[in-house]
């Protein structure tokens, strides 16, 4: 009987489940966490957009619209969605090669693809990407993000930065004489402050107890409130005020982009055509693949840090798809799950997707009420924020641990890392996956053995161990050669009690062995067959040609 197609994934946002039994206490915790994450997301959203070759409002409205949709429709309890550092290199390359209009089309197309992946229950396939490949391209992206910020960190007068690694290195070298010490000082202070700020309050409780012994409780409470301020926001406000008060000659959001428009973005349809979509197949697949990997990795991190129900990968992909389909119509950029903001959300006390919705609302209020203030933000400060993000994004300790792992692991991680930097993320992931498959086939082929158990003049017995598949069939050739060299008929018995699996290429190798045995006047038999090899042998009709098939 012909089986039908597997059922489609149901559309069940986690928000509906979270609202059952929702009370004031949970609302208060979600509002506090959401407001905190919204403030944290403000400088990051602008920085990600500027680094991607877009205007800062593109990042802000992506964080607002996509953040709302991902929280309201997603399959996780506390994940925060929005623009992510991992997309910087991809988006910048697409803008350079195809233009902003085509970026919007590629993002919307990737959104449709992500939704279909979730609908068809393909969310679990992302877990098949080896961790070495993920670490390799994550570290490579972190290096490229840091490299892309050197221009603004040093205040170099470069009108247009190339997208390629060598092009950027060449441009930086040619314009190094335009170095701006004031920009470098602001960026350096930003990085230093972001490093020191969390460590300054790491022993917060002990310091407060000492202060309480000599000063008033009001000051202790003020200290506690100050310690909870996000580092990027503190750096953004203090260094912007410093640059403005001293009238430092540094480039700002206002001088490069004319500030941030005050008001909601307008809905606009990109110039869509199927010919354009065909040209954007590679960018579309890249955005969809990276968005799926990043969002589901972020969801797994959230599962480990909280006691909330585990995420639904298919529902999460459908929500990511809807968000990425909608955002381009408001001039936004690709969005996905963001690990740093999700972790901040969890540590701030969030209990449901309502916190993500509040985060989007907080950002919207800030943009609508305080957009003109962004005019004075130095780009060097945003570069410092992104350098700090890049450093925390990379799994740098994995390089020191490489000596603990196999050559296969090292090859996949390092090749993905270097190809990501020098060529392209898509090529790097493709190379990593190809290497993973090739090395897996090699390893499995090494596991398979055809052991000689007993040998007489009339019969030879062999034990098959492991999986007989296309990568291991060469190990049957010595048995065939031995049969062909025998001067007398030889019966061959194969002990398949340790044969785990068999594919059609392996079956063909057994067919060749049968022909060789039959040609010499002998018989071939198999005993100890497990269900999978037996099923293939019987369906192919090979069982009827064996003298023994048990």
């Amino acid at each position: 009987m012909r089986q039908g197609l597997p059922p489609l994934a149901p559309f069940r946002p986690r928000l509906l489940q979270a609202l059952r039994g929702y009370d004031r206490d949970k609302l208060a915790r979600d509002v506090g966490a959401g407001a905190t994450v919204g403030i944290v997301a403000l400088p990051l959203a602008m920085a990600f957009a500027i680094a991607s070759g877009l205007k800062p409002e593109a990042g802000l409205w992506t964080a607002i619209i996509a953040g709302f949709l991902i929280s309201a429709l997603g399959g996780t309890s506390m994940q925060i969605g929005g623009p992510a550092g991992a997309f910087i290199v991809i988006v910048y390359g697409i803008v350079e090669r195809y233009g902003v209009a085509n970026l919007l089309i590629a993002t919307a197309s990737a959104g449709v693809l992500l939704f279909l992946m979730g609908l068809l229950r393909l969310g679990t396939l992302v877990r098949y990407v080896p961790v070495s490949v993920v670490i390799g391209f994550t570290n490579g992206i972190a290096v490229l993000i840091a490299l892309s910020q050197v221009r603004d960190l040093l205040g170099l007068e470069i009108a247009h930065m190339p997208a390629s690694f060598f092009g950027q290195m060449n441009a930086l070298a040619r314009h190094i004489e335009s170095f701006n010490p004031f920009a470098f000082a602001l960026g350096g202070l930003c990085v230093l402050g972001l490093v020191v700020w969390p460590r300054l309050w790491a022993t917060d409780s002990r310091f407060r107890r000492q202060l309480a012994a000599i000063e008033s409780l009001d000051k202790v409470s003020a200290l506690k409130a100050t310690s909870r301020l996000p580092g990027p926001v503190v750096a953004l406000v203090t260094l912007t005020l410093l640059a403005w008060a001293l009238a430092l000659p540094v480039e700002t959001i206002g001088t490069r982009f004319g500030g941030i428009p005050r008001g909601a973005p307008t809905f606009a349809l990109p110039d869509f055509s199927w010919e354009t979509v065909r040209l954007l197949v590679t960018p579309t697949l890249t955005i969809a693949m990276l968005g799926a990997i990043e969002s589901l990795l972020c969801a797994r991190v959230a599962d480990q840090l909280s006691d909330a129900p585990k995420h639904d990968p298919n529902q999460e992909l459908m929500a990511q798809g809807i968000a990425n389909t909608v955002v381009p119509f408001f001039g936004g950029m690709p969005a996905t799950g963001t690990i740093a903001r999700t972790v901040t959300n969890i540590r701030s006390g969030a209990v449901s997707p309502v916190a993500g919705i509040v985060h989007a609302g907080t950002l919207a209020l800030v943009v609508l009420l305080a957009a003109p203030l962004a005019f004075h933000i130095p780009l060097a400060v945003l570069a410092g924020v992104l350098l700090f993000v890049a450093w925390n994004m990379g799994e740098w300790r994995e390089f020191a641990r490489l000596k603990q792992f196999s050559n296969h692991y090292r090859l996949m991680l390092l090749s993905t890392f270097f190809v990501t930097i020098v060529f392209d993320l898509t090529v790097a992931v493709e190379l990593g996956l190809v290497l993973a498959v090739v090395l897996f086939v090699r390893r499995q082929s090494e596991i398979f053995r055809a052991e000689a158990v007993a040998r007489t003049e009339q019969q030879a017995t062999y034990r098959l161990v492991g999986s007989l598949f296309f990568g291991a069939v060469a190990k049957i050739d010595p048995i065939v050669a031995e049969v062909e060299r025998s001067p007398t008929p030889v019966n061959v018995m194969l002990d398949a009690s340790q044969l785990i699996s068999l594919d059609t290429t392996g079956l063909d190798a057994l067919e060749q062995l049968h022909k060789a045995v039959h040609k010499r006047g002998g018989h071939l038999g198999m005993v100890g067959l497990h269900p999978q090899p037996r099923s293939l042998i019987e369906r192919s009709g090979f069982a009827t040609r064996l003298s023994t098939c048990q």
Side-chain angles (χ1 to χ4, degrees), residues 365-444:
L365 284 175
V366 172
V367 172
L368 294 175
L369 299 178
L373 299 179
F375 185 94
H376 302 286
I377 296 176
L379 295 179
V381 175
L382 293 179
V385 171
L386 280 184
L387 285 172
F388 185 73
V389 169
W391 175 256
N392 287 302
M393 178 181 177
E395 298 283 347
W396 311 114
R397 293 180 181 177
E398 291 299 318
F399 290 128
R401 297 177 59 216
L402 281 177
K403 59 184 179 181
Q404 303 175 13
F405 297 99
S406 66
N407 290 332
H408 293 176
Y409 182 92
R410 297 173 196 165
L411 178 61
M412 285 192 292
L413 192 154
L414 292 176
S415 61
T416 306
F417 173 71
F418 286 113
V419 172
T420 298
I421 294 175
V422 176
F423 294 101
D424 182 76
L425 173 65
T426 308
V427 176
V429 174
E430 290 172 351
L431 175 64
L433 292 176
V434 169
L435 282 175
V437 171
V438 171
L439 295 175
F440 176 79
V441 169
R442 180 181 176 183
R443 182 171 296 175
Q444 292 300 310

Side-chain angles (χ1 to χ4, degrees), residues 445-456:
S445 65
E446 291 173 351
I447 293 175
F448 177 78
R449 303 189 307 276
E451 304 172 341
V453 177
R455 184 71 165 85
T456 64

Side-chain angles (χ1 to χ4, degrees), residues 104-419:
L104 302 180
I105 296 174
T107 302
S109 301
V112 174
L113 187 57
L114 281 167
F115 183 85
L116 291 176
M117 288 173 63
L119 187 66
L120 297 175
R121 298 178 179 269
L122 300 179
T124 55
L125 293 181
V126 176
R127 295 188 178 184
Y128 294 153
V129 179
V131 66
S132 56
V133 174
V134 174
I135 293 173
F137 79 68
T138 301
N139 286 6
I141 289 173
V143 170
L144 290 175
I145 291 174
L147 179 63
S148 70
Q149 298 309 300
V150 173
R151 173 183 65 166
D152 291 333
L153 178 70
L154 302 181
L156 303 183
E157 297 177 0
I158 303 176
H160 179 75
M161 277 290 284
S164 66
F165 172 76
F166 294 110
Q168 290 185 6
M169 293 293 291
N170 183 48
L172 293 172
R174 285 189 293 106
H175 294 84
I176 193 63
E177 70 279 356
S178 62
F179 169 71
N180 185 334
F182 299 103
F184 180 70
L186 287 174
L189 284 173
C190 179
V191 174
L192 180 62
L194 293 174
V195 172
V196 172
W197 185 257
R199 290 168 174 78
L200 183 64
W201 306 111
T203 56
D204 173 56
S205 59
R206 178 183 176 185
F207 185 61
R208 285 202 308 269
R209 286 197 302 269
Q210 293 175 348
L211 188 63
I214 57 176
E215 299 197 27
S216 68
L217 291 177
D218 290 339
K219 291 185 178 181
V220 176
S221 299
L223 175 63
K224 181 179 180 180
T226 303
S227 68
R228 290 181 176 178
L229 289 174
V233 176
V234 175
L236 195 70
V237 173
T238 56
L239 294 176
T240 298
L241 289 174
L242 178 65
W244 175 77
L246 299 179
L248 297 180
V250 295
E251 194 172 16
T252 66
I253 287 180
T255 58
R256 182 180 293 182
F257 301 103
I260 297 176
R262 187 173 183 175
T266 57
F267 180 87
L269 291 173
D271 187 10
F272 178 88
S273 70
W274 286 112
E275 287 299 321
T276 305
V277 172
R278 288 176 57 189
L279 293 174
L280 298 173
V281 170
T282 299
T284 297
L285 293 177
T286 302
I287 294 173
M289 178 178 62
L290 184 58
I293 292 173
E294 285 290 313
S295 64
L296 296 185
L297 284 178
C298 180
R300 291 175 66 181
V301 171
D303 288 345
Q304 296 169 2
L305 295 178
S306 68
D307 298 327
K310 301 300 181 184
H311 74 281
D312 179 349
N314 298 315
Q315 180 64 39
E316 186 61 28
L317 287 184
M318 286 191 280
Q320 299 283 342
I322 293 173
N324 280 283
T325 303
V326 172
V327 161
F329 298 118
F330 297 92
M333 58 188 292
T336 186
T338 57
I339 294 179
R341 276 160 276 174
T342 298
V343 172
T344 302
N345 189 41
I346 294 172
R347 290 178 176 172
S348 298
V351 294
S352 78
V354 173
I357 296 174
V358 173
H359 136 268
T362 302
L363 266 177
L365 284 175
V366 172
V367 172
L368 294 175
L369 299 178
L373 299 179
F375 185 94
H376 302 286
I377 296 176
L379 295 179
V381 175
L382 293 179
V385 171
L386 280 184
L387 285 172
F388 185 73
V389 169
W391 175 256
N392 287 302
M393 178 181 177
E395 298 283 347
W396 311 114
R397 293 180 181 177
E398 291 299 318
F399 290 128
R401 297 177 59 216
L402 281 177
K403 59 184 179 181
Q404 303 175 13
F405 297 99
S406 66
N407 290 332
H408 293 176
Y409 182 92
R410 297 173 196 165
L411 178 61
M412 285 192 292
L413 192 154
L414 292 176
S415 61
T416 306
F417 173 71
F418 286 113
V419 172

